[in-house]
Amino acid sequence: MQRGLGLLNSLPRILTALALLLMLAGTAHAQLTQEQTEYYDAWLVTAERAEAAIEAGRASNAALEDLRSQIVSYRQGFLEARDRNSARIATVQSQLDALGPP
């Protein structure tokens, strides 16, 4: 039971971190490919399921472990996408920095 409580306590932090990643990527949603949009939409469904499970407080340890595994997989996918775009992000950031404050 103790392990389930630890997982239940850490899941909101994981969801918060992923939500921050998504907010950063949210503005680019309109520029996503069909495959990327489907991946993002599937992530949203998984995040909503995890939030509902936490709020209900009735999920089994196995269900929480399954959600955690799915969330870790999405997190890895988002981190890989960020890394693939890191050079482009750095270029745009340096251009914005060169413009100075608004």
Side-chain angles (χ1 to χ4, degrees):
M1 181 66 180
Q2 203 54 274
R3 179 175 179 189
L5 288 176
L7 178 60
L8 188 61
N9 289 333
S10 66
L11 202 51
R13 286 190 301 256
I14 294 169
L15 289 173
T16 300
L18 287 172
L20 290 172
L21 280 173
L22 290 175
M23 283 190 291
L24 294 173
T27 56
H29 190 284
Q31 300 173 13
L32 298 177
T33 66
Q34 180 66 30
E35 181 181 345
Q36 291 167 329
T37 299
E38 290 170 4
Y39 184 81
Y40 179 79
D41 291 342
W43 150 249
L44 291 176
V45 170
T46 301
E48 289 170 4
R49 281 187 21 242
E51 289 172 353
I54 291 169
E55 288 174 9
R58 295 189 309 252
S60 68
N61 285 348
L64 291 174
E65 286 289 339
D66 183 52
L67 281 169
R68 181 181 180 277
S69 174
Q70 291 175 36
I71 290 168
V72 166
S73 177
Y74 279 108
R75 178 183 63 192
Q76 187 61 37
F78 290 128
L79 291 174
E80 288 170 4
R82 182 195 64 190
D83 291 345
R84 279 192 305 269
N85 294 317
S86 63
R88 182 174 177 211
I89 292 168
T91 299
V92 171
Q93 185 61 54
S94 67
Q95 291 169 345
L96 289 172
D97 292 343
L99 290 173

